[in-house]
Amino acid sequence: MHQKTSIAGEPDHVRAAPSHRNPYPYYARLARQQPFFRDDANGWWVAASATAVAEVLNSANCLTRPLSEPIPEVLRTGAAADIFGRLVRLRDDEVRGRLKDAVAGALASIDLGQIGDRARRRAAELDTELGSACDEAWITQFMFALPVQVIAGLLGIPRERFGDTMTWLGDYGAAAAAAGTGIPAATPELIARGHRGARALLDLVGGLGKDPGRRGPLLDALAREAARVGCDDDRDVVANAIGYMVQGYVGTASLIGLTLLALARRPALREKVDANRALLRPLVQEVARHDTVTSSTFRFMACDAEIAGRPLRKGEMIIVLLAAANRDPALNLDPDRLDIARKDRKSFEFGVGVHACPADKAASLLVEIAVDHLLTKRAPLERLEASLTYTVSGHVRTPLFKG
Ligand code: HEM
């Protein structure tokens, strides 16, 4: 699902901002004037300044799910719950810390050079598989396919299952987002498709997990690391192996698209980066700060407690605006300027605290390689703006180019 971009006015509220054409004046205003406030009309709190965002993300009183509903009620009856409830991303129980060590340790054990080699090989294969016309729709397909297929390959998923895997991830992801955030609406059809996708993913990755000969290096490493830290429930391993794809899929595709847009809008920068590809690294980091993919994330109060000097009640929800904090002048000087030479860049793009993303380096590398490939291919970046839409999401900023 996607919506045409609009340039008129501010978003109605923070959850309408990720798909707004230019939410940044709004984010900047919040970061500077309303660092932490209650949106009484919608019944949620908003953390917008860098200080407030850091306080929420580092607070042991702020959980990723409400204590009363670790798995959304609407998902509870099917396979999607077996993924949702076991992801390190969405739990704060006593197993989480050890499981996070395993998830992060397994990723860290995979050499970035190996990830890079796989990504370059896969990019070349996609040139053939996706057909020869390199137009806006092709670019969209490529940016979604490349990163998740590299991760799928690292888990051991065979190439002929990549297409199915992407469909199932999309179906599970849409159902999980609908159940967890209400955007899009959790219709019975969407939820049923999500359960079917989840079942298929659990069968596929669970099957690989049982057969050491078919496991890829990342699945192997996760099983090993989980055993090392004493997580002996195979269902946690399978769910979090799927979690690598779930977490990486839309986010990495989105950062590729946002980086392409940054270049498309700045022909002089495009020329400079084209001539010196070493600049891709700081470019990707700066786009992640400046046009943040994870516009926001949620937290829920574990108990009555003070946050940013305000009293919050158990169960209350906080929308944590990473994108606004990234534009806070207290975090970065002249924050509205895209400056790839920025010194001492600070960014919340990959989160902070116990739930911080363990794949920031791998994800950034995949984005660099995708953009490098598209520059070399002379992809028509100048046509992207005219075909730009953003997916409807309360939290993630995903550009689509449809031609
Ligand atoms: C550009 C792409 C990506 C972005 C912007 C991103 C961003 C984030 C952010 C902001 C969080 C923390 C969420 C929160 O605190 O509520 C997170 C968590 C996570 N990410 Fe990423 N991520 C990206 C790619 C990936 C990839 C490729 C993987 C896996 C290979 C991955 C795996 C994870 C995991 C497992 C967590 C949960 C960590 C935890 O809760 O302890 N991410 N990511």
Side-chain angles (χ1 to χ4, degrees):
M1 199 195 307
H2 58 96
Q3 71 184 27
K4 272 285 172 202
T5 54
S6 132
I7 48 172
E10 285 194 343
D12 289 342
H13 54 70
V14 292
R15 296 175 79 189
S19 45
H20 190 277
R21 170 68 183 240
N22 181 12
Y24 292 106
Y26 169 68
Y27 282 146
R29 182 174 68 67
L30 293 182
R32 288 161 218 201
Q33 296 169 12
Q34 288 180 278
F36 189 77
F37 67 98
R38 188 163 199 283
D39 177 338
D40 289 323
N42 290 297
W44 58 57
W45 291 85
V46 177
S49 71
T51 305
V53 163
E55 180 174 339
V56 174
L57 294 182
N58 285 309
S59 168
N61 293 325
C62 299
L63 310 178
T64 56
R65 289 290 308 157
L67 274 178
S68 59
E69 202 188 35
I71 299 173
E73 191 58 48
V74 66
L75 277 191
R76 268 200 202 150
T77 51
D82 294 338
I83 298 178
F84 193 103
R86 292 180 182 278
L87 294 177
V88 286
R89 165 76 182 78
L90 293 165
R91 61 200 275 187
D92 292 282
D93 56 6
E94 72 80 32
V95 176
R96 195 208 69 83
R98 280 179 290 137
L99 200 52
K100 172 73 178 279
D101 287 347
V103 165
L107 264 174
S109 76
I110 307 291
D111 180 48
L112 283 177
Q114 184 190 157
I115 296 179
D117 290 346
R118 281 177 179 259
R120 281 185 203 91
R121 258 201 321 274
R122 189 66 199 132
E125 288 165 4
L126 282 168
D127 276 344
T128 315
E129 287 174 27
L130 296 180
S132 54
C134 181
D135 57 10
E136 300 90 322
W138 192 100
I139 293 172
T140 304
Q141 275 184 290
F142 178 84
M143 75 192 205
F144 275 93
L146 180 70
V148 77
Q149 294 187 0
V150 171
I151 301 167
L154 284 165
L155 291 171
I157 294 174
R159 210 209 286 190
E160 61 276 15
R161 306 310 298 274
F162 285 172
D164 287 340
T165 301
M166 287 173 67
T167 304
W168 297 330
L169 285 169
D171 289 347
Y172 166 77
T181 73
I183 303 175
T187 62
E189 297 74 33
L190 193 82
I191 298 297
R193 266 208 312 278
H195 284 312
R196 283 198 297 277
R199 181 73 273 144
L201 289 166
L202 288 165
D203 289 345
L204 176 65
V205 178
L208 297 173
K210 288 198 189 87
D211 180 352
R214 290 167 61 219
R215 277 188 214 152
L218 183 57
L219 186 52
D220 232 6
L222 182 60
R224 192 179 60 237
E225 288 293 309
R228 189 179 64 77
V229 297
C231 292
D232 46 16
D233 189 334
D234 286 346
R235 293 170 303 175
D236 282 334
V237 172
V238 172
N240 282 283
I242 295 168
Y244 289 133
M245 296 188 289
V246 169
Q247 293 291 145
Y249 187 22
V250 175
T252 316
S254 305
L255 188 51
I256 295 170
L258 294 171
T259 306
L260 295 175
L261 268 178
L263 290 175
R265 287 169 178 161
R266 296 170 183 81
L269 180 64
R270 177 179 175 181
E271 240 174 68
K272 206 166 141 187
V273 172
D274 201 10
N276 177 6
R277 302 297 170 89
L279 295 177
L280 278 169
R281 185 145 304 170
L283 170 69
V284 171
Q285 296 312 318
E286 180 64 349
V287 171
R289 181 198 69 79
H290 187 261
D291 201 3
T292 309
V293 169
T294 320
S295 298
S296 59
T297 186
F298 284 122
R299 289 297 186 268
F300 300 87
M301 294 305 291
C303 55
D304 295 354
E306 242 185 45
I307 299 288
R310 307 285 301 275
L312 271 69
R313 308 296 304 271
K314 182 176 176 178
E316 282 194 302
M317 178 168 91
I318 308 170
I319 299 184
V320 189
L321 289 184
L322 308 180
N326 283 343
R327 294 290 189 112
D328 185 339
L331 193 69
N332 291 289
L333 286 177
D334 196 5
D336 296 328
R337 200 155 69 88
L338 183 116
D339 176 6
I340 67 169
R342 185 177 286 283
K343 301 259 179 318
D344 197 21
R345 176 179 303 108
K346 298 202 184 66
S347 172
F348 287 97
E349 170 68 294
F350 291 98
V352 296
V354 293
H355 285 282
C357 182
D360 54 342
K361 291 197 177 55
S364 303
L365 178 66
L366 290 168
V367 175
E368 275 174 44
I369 289 171
V371 176
D372 187 33
H373 186 82
L374 291 168
L375 285 174
T376 301
K377 225 177 134 57
R378 300 272 154 235
L381 305 192
E382 59 289 345
R383 291 190 352 220
L384 297 182
E385 189 81 49
S387 68
L388 173 63
T389 61
Y390 290 93
T391 55
V392 175
S393 164
H395 300 275
V396 182
R397 185 158 177 79
T398 304
L400 301 175
F401 313 111
K402 283 285 158 103

